[in-house]
Amino acid sequence: MKSRAFKDNLSGYAFISPFIIGFTAFTVVPMLISLYLSFTNYDLFTTPKWIGLANYKEMFFGDEKFWKSLSVTFYYVLAGVPLRLMFALFVAMLLNQSRKGIGIYRVLFYLPSIIGGSVAVAIMWRNIFGNDGVINALLFFMGIDKKILWYQDPTSALWTLILLAVWQFGSSMLIFLAGLKNIPPTFYEAASVDGASAAHKFFKITLPLLSPIIFFNLVMQTISAFMTFTPAYIISKGEGGPLDGTLLYPLYLFQKAFNFFQMGYASAMAWVMLIIVGLTTLILFKTSSLWVYYESKED
Amino acid sequence: MKKILVLALSLFMVTAFSGCSSTSSNDSGGDDGNEKVTLRFAWWGGQPRHDYTTKVIEMYEKENPNVNIEPEFANWDDYWKKLAPQAAANQLPDIIQMDMAYLSQYGEKGQLEDLTPYLENGTIDTSNIPENNISGGKIKDHLYGLPAGMNVLSVISNDQLLKDAGIEINSQTWTWEDYEKVALQLQEKLGIYGSNGMHPPDVFFPYYLRTQGERFYKEDGTGLAYTDDQLFVDYFERQLRLINGKASPTPDEQAQIKGMEDDFIVKGATGFTWNWSNQYLAFSQLTEAPLTINLPPEQEKESALFLKPSMLFSIPKSSKVKEEAAKFIDYFVNNIEANKIIKGERGVPVSTEVSDAIKSELNESETKIVEYVEAAAQHASEADPPDPIGSAEVMKALKDVSDQILFKQIKPEEGAKKFRDQANEILGRNK
């Protein structure tokens, strides 16, 4: 009987082994190596030298740019994620109707997310907001003659990145759409009979019933926003400029590793980011009991 | 049935995962001339450089049928970001186009082969290359890179605009004050910039120091050489005056330039632009108005100008085909037919024989560059040693501080101190 069970399990193990092997080789082992490197001085070329906590000490007490990049990243996350979710929910509600050709619209609105964090999109964005780009041309037609240097200006540069993130709202929109479809129409019908306004319906029915979905999207989008790299890298040509206005944390980490040859320091930065993202997610989970409503709990 | 499935799956896994290790069979050997050799050759540059380099590679492959050269080219930024991980993985290309700013980083950290033996055994023929043209690639008697061509700093002017503004300069003797005055005049009379933003600062601030008889890095690379922060303040106050007078672009306007095609000088938006001499060729091709290549201000008194290898060719220690790589470098530097295609685009050829031989092939602009470099060389002093380890970080710090000053977030005095602190901290690690 026992060997039978083993045989049964064997095929199971065989089927999951590609993942197990891949996960070990490309995630677990590199993470452990990076943890080790974070306590060393490693320039990519020579053998790492053990220096204990020096990297972490330098980061917290000696590196102005570390704090700058953290604040830029938090600004990006705090401004970008809520805007993106609001926009996604708004569009999801527009698309949650049975009209002719609605499928085409759903596809079209989802498209920007399929081409996701790609280099091509970032280059396109750079051109749209460029000196002779579409945005400035539009402003010109509207009678604003002065060319605005969007991503060259320290204050507006980060906002071009945030707008790019908002524009790629498709995946959260799709999940919202699925959530909206799950709300029984009878609720709305009953509310209508009681004379509830549209705003009432939204705040009393849609939002509470959608809150688990909002929570899911919030967590996923926050984590991915913390890790944003490609657009900042492309739009600022890898500099994070002007005046470090777009120096997102992962970009600074990359600079440390591959421009300044401080792989040990970069590894330490990566672990600090892991902890920050972990804590943020934990906080989100802790506060979720206050506002996330699970129907199943009432059973 | 299940058994067969498991068997099939494990068979698949074995083949899939062993596939990676079986491809490196024909990498080794290759000195006897008949065996197939594959050389990876990496360089940075713009489209024209890629085009002619590809042609040179084809010529070489035709003459050496056993050699196959795989090009790996990128623009400047991406090039260095790609090279670092390749070095970490022991996968550097067999021939690397190297820059003075990174020579120490790669050379002193044991990534590059000392080329001296290849010079001694004649694989790389240096009989027509003056010692001065080679020494730029040396660090402590090790030749980590063979210069591909020589460059001198220059100020390129748009003659039409200068004529329109009624401005004449004597580039042999003009001073920094003259330069500033001329730039402001161009703005007053024509409403254009007088000069580009002298961007990036890590090229032009060290030159300014040289005109004041000072140096940027200490000889041993453990700190900054200049001690008087007033020099830093003077340099950036002049930049600020030019920006305030609209005679120089602000850093955000400077950041719009995507390639040489939309440079201010090409669009007729500035009278002068600071650049390396080999850039003159591309600019003169792209600009309709006639351009002149001038000596920069105050080069005379301190012999501030210097000949700098525009770029170097290095061979990594990890290469398995060093001899073949050296042969290709020799071809690139010494072959006259090849250099008739290269035409000094990588700087004036280091071999005097080559630079003489290609003169007849050069057009007017190319000839001007060679003449300029020859004229400047007579008055040039010794170049600074290769940038020390950490210079990439120092350059970035200087650029950051420069931006903060020119965006008027901090005063030049504050910037001088800030930069000194940062630079000394970075370079202090070299002690």
Side-chain angles (χ1 to χ4, degrees), chain B residues 4-19:
Chain B
I4 297 172
L5 234 162
V6 172
L7 201 76
L9 201 75
S10 28
L11 215 87
F12 163 77
M13 303 264 302
V14 168
T15 44
F17 282 94
S18 60

Side-chain angles (χ1 to χ4, degrees), chain B residues 116-130:
Chain B
T116 320
Y118 300 100
L119 266 54
E120 279 164 0
N121 70 18
T123 311
I124 299 175
D125 178 15
T126 51
S127 48
N128 294 308
I129 306 178

Side-chain angles (χ1 to χ4, degrees), chain A residues 84-105:
Chain A
R84 185 178 186 161
L85 290 186
M86 279 193 271
F87 199 62
L89 181 57
F90 175 70
V91 177
M93 289 178 64
L94 284 185
L95 296 182
N96 187 26
Q97 299 169 6
S98 37
R99 297 247 170 101
K100 225 177 165 186
I102 197 81
I104 295 170
Y105 284 103

Side-chain angles (χ1 to χ4, degrees), chain B residues 126-302:
Chain B
T126 51
S127 48
N128 294 308
I129 306 178
E131 175 59 27
N132 265 345
N133 287 1
I134 298 176
S135 58
K138 273 189 186 164
I139 300 173
K140 295 173 195 146
D141 294 330
H142 296 295
L143 184 67
Y144 288 125
L146 190 79
M150 300 313 268
N151 251 346
V152 179
L153 271 185
S154 67
V155 176
I156 298 166
S157 61
N158 184 321
D159 297 340
Q160 190 59 49
L161 293 174
L162 291 198
K163 214 174 126 199
D164 291 349
I167 290 170
E168 269 183 52
I169 58 158
N170 180 347
S171 72
Q172 190 69 36
T173 57
W174 62 334
T175 63
W176 286 103
E177 270 81 56
D178 296 335
Y179 157 74
E180 187 178 337
K181 214 164 71 191
V182 168
L184 289 166
Q185 271 175 356
L186 277 163
Q187 164 62 29
E188 263 165 46
K189 293 199 174 141
L190 303 178
I192 55 167
Y193 293 129
S195 160
N196 71 334
M198 295 181 81
H199 184 88
D202 54 85
V203 174
F204 301 108
F205 177 55
Y207 170 73
Y208 175 74
L209 289 175
R210 288 181 71 101
T211 64
Q212 309 298 311
E214 293 279 350
R215 293 292 181 271
F216 189 59
Y217 289 122
K218 270 188 200 164
E219 194 88 10
D220 62 358
T222 55
L224 295 173
Y226 70 98
T227 48
D228 185 2
D229 274 345
Q230 191 56 41
L231 292 166
F232 186 100
V233 174
D234 289 347
Y235 177 82
F236 279 100
E237 275 181 344
R238 172 165 293 120
Q239 300 281 331
L240 275 177
R241 283 196 298 273
L242 289 174
I243 285 179
N244 290 340
K246 293 199 180 339
S248 260
T250 52
D252 48 347
E253 286 160 323
Q254 186 88 43
Q256 290 161 39
I257 298 175
K258 288 180 218 135
M260 284 178 125
E261 303 78 32
D262 37 39
D263 206 283
F264 296 114
I265 189 107
V266 173
K267 287 182 166 174
T270 181
F272 290 101
T273 189
W274 288 75
N275 260 298
W276 290 104
S277 51
N278 68 332
Q279 313 259 22
Y280 174 78
L281 182 58
F283 282 137
S284 65
Q285 283 167 350
L286 292 165
T287 316
E288 275 174 37
L291 301 181
T292 300
I293 182 165
N294 307 289
L295 296 163
E298 294 191 21
Q299 45 81 31
E300 204 171 23
K301 193 179 81 202
E302 297 281 351

Side-chain angles (χ1 to χ4, degrees), chain A residues 215 281-290:
Chain A
F215 176 64
T281 314
L282 191 74
I283 291 170
L284 286 178
F285 267 94
K286 287 281 174 209
T287 54
S288 71
S289 59
L290 299 175

Side-chain angles (χ1 to χ4, degrees), chain A residues 4 7-8 10-11 14-18 21-22 26 41-46 58 62 64-65 126-127 131-132 149 151-154 233 237-244 247 252 254-262, chain B residues 2-3 5-6 9-10 12-13 17 77-78 80-81 83-85 87-89 102 105-106 108-111 250-253 255-259 267 392-394 396 399-400 403-405 407 409 418 422 425-426 429:
Chain A
R4 173 85 198 273
K7 265 187 195 162
D8 277 356
L10 188 69
S11 52
F15 275 111
I16 57 165
S17 59
I21 293 171
F26 299 115
N41 188 359
Y42 177 44
D43 64 3
L44 281 171
F45 299 166
T46 48
E58 160 75 11
E64 224 178 280
K65 279 204 163 191
R126 201 181 150 84
N127 287 334
N131 193 26
D132 303 316
L149 305 172
Y151 57 81
Q152 297 98 331
D153 187 294
Y233 178 80
K237 291 184 180 168
E239 296 260 353
L243 293 181
D244 296 334
L247 189 70
Y252 184 46
F254 178 85
Q255 285 184 355
K256 277 285 181 190
F258 295 111
N259 292 10
F260 305 151
F261 308 100
Q262 295 174 26
Chain B
K2 212 177 268 170
K3 258 186 197 162
L5 234 162
V6 172
L9 201 75
S10 28
F12 163 77
M13 303 264 302
F17 282 94
D77 289 331
D78 294 338
W80 296 105
K81 281 158 198 162
L83 214 56
Y102 288 89
Q105 185 75 45
Y106 283 84
E108 288 187 39
K109 297 280 184 184
Q111 292 292 307
T250 52
D252 48 347
E253 286 160 323
Q256 290 161 39
I257 298 175
K258 288 180 218 135
K267 287 182 166 174
E393 210 174 345
V394 176
K396 180 80 169 96
K399 194 184 167 291
D400 286 346
D403 278 354
Q404 285 171 9
I405 294 173
F407 273 117
Q409 295 217 328
K418 200 170 173 183
Q422 287 178 359
E425 200 224 310
I426 296 161
R429 294 177 210 143

